[in-house]
Amino acid sequence: MNFVLEMLRLNSERIPENNAYVFKEKFITFKELYEKSLLYGKILRQQGTSPVIIKCDKSVESYLEIFSCIQSGRPYIPVDFLMPDERTEMIRLKCKSDLILTPDSLKNIEIISGKNSINPIPEDKQIDENKIIYIISTSGSTGEPKEVPISYKNLFNFCKWISSVKYLKSYENKIVLNNSNFSFDLSVFSLFYSLMKGHTLISVDLGFHHP
């Protein structure tokens, strides 16, 4: 079972109208996040299986794209939306990705009633713990992108550690602030900790975002 999607499903049933994510004046509830990510995840799965590059900022759209990729079973590669196209292309070729999403991509996907219905995406009862959930690209010391794959096992152990931290595990339905772009690995803590505990994740507007 995909533990990330299970947490998402449980939140959509337990606290459906609570905000999952907020950025500036836009927000998405746990119910909306679960249903929309199911829908877009189904479309993404129909389009292929390669990793998906997300040129992301802190927008609700980028947040939704992350969970849509997880729903589809395709690894996602978050990169800053300000990253030059040449560098993005370098990462795309190294990771053999055939799809790049921007914060506007989901708006341009045609939704056809019936064809793209909101139904659970079939998945293996037991997900391979070594399967890659996302890939972080870092320049390191050479200036060339270096890809670091993160498996479901890696993320599960990270979430397990978070849940064991004394001063974090007792909180429920609180607000978590996020300062980082989703392309930065520090954002992983706030992203999955808030989901795991049913918190509302609010990203701070630092003035750098997709227009």
Side-chain angles (χ1 to χ4, degrees):
M1 181 177 292
N2 188 323
F3 78 97
V4 176
L5 298 184
E6 182 64 9
M7 288 190 293
L8 185 56
R9 182 188 68 80
L10 290 174
N11 284 339
S12 73
E13 295 177 352
R14 185 171 58 90
I15 44 175
E17 302 307 316
N18 284 20
N19 287 335
Y21 183 67
V22 179
F23 180 65
K24 301 180 73 173
E25 74 283 355
K26 297 188 70 174
F27 61 87
I28 187 169
T29 66
F30 280 108
K31 183 174 186 287
E32 291 170 331
L33 177 61
Y34 182 66
E35 292 183 348
K36 288 183 178 181
S37 64
L38 267 178
L39 177 59
Y40 291 123
K42 179 179 179 182
I43 296 171
L44 289 174
R45 172 173 270 195
Q46 291 170 346
Q47 293 178 343
T49 59
S50 76
V52 178
I53 290 178
I54 304 178
K55 295 201 74 169
C56 56
D57 52 16
K58 295 179 180 178
S59 65
V60 169
E61 289 78 14
S62 290
Y63 180 83
L64 174 58
E65 286 173 348
I66 288 173
F67 288 100
S68 297
C69 287
I70 296 174
Q71 288 278 18
S72 74
R74 301 177 66 171
Y76 69 91
I77 309 169
V79 301
D80 195 300
F81 77 98
L82 293 174
M83 179 180 285
D85 291 341
E86 312 83 70
R87 191 175 180 85
T88 303
E89 179 64 8
M90 190 184 304
I91 295 171
R92 187 191 72 79
L93 292 174
K94 289 178 72 175
C95 295
K96 299 181 180 179
S97 170
D98 60 12
L99 181 62
I100 298 177
L101 299 179
T102 70
D104 292 327
S105 295
L106 296 186
K107 301 175 185 176
N108 300 322
I109 294 179
E110 183 179 5
I111 304 301
I112 304 175
S113 178
K115 180 179 179 181
N116 296 321
S117 56
I118 303 176
N119 294 313
I121 298 173
E123 61 174 342
D124 297 332
K125 291 183 179 180
Q126 188 65 41
I127 192 167
D128 181 1
E129 62 179 14
N130 294 313
K131 184 176 181 180
I132 303 305
I133 183 169
Y134 70 91
I135 301 170
I136 284 287
S137 183
T138 176
S139 61
S141 58
T142 65
E144 264 195 43
K146 291 185 178 67
E147 289 65 49
V148 181
I150 305 299
S151 68
Y152 279 90
K153 181 179 181 179
N154 296 148
L155 184 59
F156 177 80
N157 288 336
F158 180 69
C159 290
K160 185 177 180 181
W161 169 76
I162 295 174
S163 64
S164 69
V165 176
K166 180 179 179 180
Y167 298 107
L168 293 176
K169 63 183 180 180
S170 59
Y171 294 114
E172 296 286 347
N173 303 332
K174 301 294 183 181
I175 291 176
V176 176
L177 291 181
N178 171 57
N179 283 317
S180 306
N181 188 298
F182 293 129
S183 62
F184 187 46
D185 55 4
L186 183 62
S187 68
V188 172
F189 182 94
S190 56
L191 183 69
F192 291 104
Y193 169 65
S194 58
L195 176 68
M196 183 175 61
K197 302 297 288 187
H199 298 325
T200 296
L201 180 61
I202 298 180
S203 278
V204 178
D205 181 14
L206 299 177
F208 304 100
H209 56 86
H210 187 73

